[in-house]
């Protein structure tokens, strides 16, 4: 059976052959993980368990090696853009599937993504992860907030302190650079540290998403990180601005 979904139904002719882009396929995987978790101890559990392999195989069409690194690409072929936020969300899904099933293949995939995602971190603006691998013009909340959650989920799954340290560092950077200090909801005006450019772009409809993420259950039960987790949960009351930091070169 076809495991790589089509973007349109019925299939349309055009530039691509109908395969969904990675955020469509990945969104489907995220929805499946939520349903799989909700089905535990219900009469539907076996049905959703039976779909796991197909869902996992579907997203692997996008697992592409380019520029010496392997990660999930926009299209299921080499030579296309890759976005760090897409890989964040998939890594979180794999962490959740591992927590649910204890199947090592999900943890292995989540760990395999770690080096790729954090290769998007550099010292420009003091740290943070870029949005796009091929177009390093901005560092966005959509790539940094889930990157924090992902690192902490890896820590919860493995107990490896390096994941906790990276999650703490990314959380601190996101709070410093992407939190609106005025009301937590307004636009955040950030000076471009390279060119002095002011950028006030903001995606307000995503604010509640980050607030949810920073309240995620992944932060509970990490007894060796109670102080950090308490700070994280308290700060979640003030949502972050999904503002781009534009890097004019």
């Amino acid at each position: 059976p076809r495991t790589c979904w089509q973007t349109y139904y019925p299939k349309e002719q055009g530039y691509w052959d109908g395969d969904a882009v990675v955020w469509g396929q990945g969104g489907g995987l995220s929805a499946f993980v939520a349903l799989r978790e909700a089905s535990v101890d219900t009469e539907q559990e076996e049905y959703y368990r039976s779909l796991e392999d197909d869902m996992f195989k579907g997203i692997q069409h996008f697992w592409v090696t380019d520029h010496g690194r392997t990660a999930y690409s926009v299209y299921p072929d080499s030579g296309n853009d890759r976005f760090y936020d897409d890989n964040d969300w998939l890594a979180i899904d794999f962490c959740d599937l591992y927590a649910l099933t204890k199947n090592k293949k999900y943890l292995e995939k989540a760990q395999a993504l770690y080096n790729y995602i954090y290769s998007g971190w550099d010292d420009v603006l003091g740290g943070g992860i870029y949005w796009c691998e091929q177009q390093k013009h901005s560092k966005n909340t959509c790539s940094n907030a889930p990157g924090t959650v992902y690192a902490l989920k890896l820590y919860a799954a493995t107990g490896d302190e390096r994941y906790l340290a990276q999650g703490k560092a990314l959380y601190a950077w996101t709070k410093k650079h992407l939190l609106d200090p005025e009301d937590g909801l307004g636009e955040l005006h950030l000076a471009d540290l390279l060119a002095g450019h002011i950028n006030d772009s903001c995606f307000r409809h995503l604010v509640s998403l980050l607030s949810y993420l920073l309240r995620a259950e992944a932060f509970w039960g990490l007894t060796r990180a109670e102080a950090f987790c308490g700070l994280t949960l308290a700060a979640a009351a003030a949502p972050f601005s999904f503002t781009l930091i534009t890097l004019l070169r």
Side-chain angles (χ1 to χ4, degrees):
R2 180 184 179 89
T3 57
C4 188
W5 299 348
Q6 294 179 354
T7 301
Y8 302 105
Y9 184 83
K11 181 178 176 180
E12 294 185 359
Q13 301 301 318
Y15 166 71
W16 198 247
D17 68 358
D19 289 340
V21 293
V22 69
W23 49 81
Q25 187 87 14
L29 178 63
S30 296
F32 170 75
V33 174
L35 288 168
R36 175 71 178 86
E37 183 175 11
S39 73
V40 173
D41 294 331
T42 74
E43 60 183 16
Q44 296 296 318
E45 182 173 8
E46 186 54 40
Y47 170 70
Y48 285 108
R49 181 186 290 116
S50 73
L51 299 178
E52 276 183 30
D53 283 344
D54 277 348
M55 294 301 298
F56 183 73
K57 289 175 183 176
I59 201 65
Q60 301 319 309
H61 290 285
F62 300 84
W63 185 245
V64 174
T65 299
D66 266 331
H67 314 297
R69 295 185 184 276
T70 305
Y72 291 98
S73 180
V74 171
Y75 292 107
D77 201 355
S78 60
N80 293 289
D81 285 346
R82 294 189 297 199
F83 291 83
Y84 295 108
D85 63 322
D86 296 329
N87 285 272
D88 280 339
W89 295 114
L90 290 169
I92 288 172
D93 288 336
F94 293 136
C95 286
D96 289 345
L97 278 171
Y98 173 69
L100 188 64
T101 68
K102 302 305 178 186
N103 188 324
K104 289 287 188 180
K105 73 178 181 181
Y106 300 129
L107 179 59
E108 290 168 358
K109 189 64 73 174
Q111 290 178 301
L113 281 169
Y114 181 81
N115 287 337
Y116 171 75
I117 290 171
Y118 282 92
S119 73
W121 172 290
D122 66 16
D123 292 333
V124 175
L125 298 179
I129 297 173
Y130 289 97
W131 182 39
C132 180
E133 176 188 353
Q134 288 76 23
Q135 303 176 48
K136 293 185 175 177
H137 305 311
S138 64
K139 293 183 175 181
N140 307 10
T141 307
C142 65
S143 54
N144 287 280
T148 301
V149 174
Y150 161 52
L152 294 181
K153 283 180 177 285
L154 272 182
Y155 172 66
T158 66
D160 190 329
E161 295 284 344
R162 66 180 172 138
Y163 298 135
L164 176 60
Q166 186 64 72
K168 290 170 69 174
L170 187 53
Y171 172 78
W173 185 89
T174 303
K175 181 179 179 181
K176 178 179 179 180
H177 291 280
L178 295 172
L179 177 66
D180 188 326
E182 297 298 326
D183 60 10
L185 292 174
E187 296 180 344
L188 181 61
H189 302 274
L190 289 175
D192 182 333
L193 301 187
L194 295 180
H197 176 74
I198 303 298
N199 188 310
D200 61 359
S201 302
C202 180
F203 301 102
R204 289 171 176 266
H205 65 287
L206 295 177
V207 166
S208 61
L209 174 60
L210 181 57
S211 180
Y212 167 77
L213 286 173
L214 294 178
R215 292 187 177 94
E217 291 181 1
F219 294 130
W220 294 101
L222 303 179
T223 56
R224 285 179 289 178
E226 287 180 352
F228 169 63
C229 295
L231 171 64
T232 302
L233 290 167
F240 286 75
S241 165
F242 280 69
T243 302
L244 308 183
I245 301 176
T246 303
L247 308 178
L248 300 181
R249 301 191 183 278

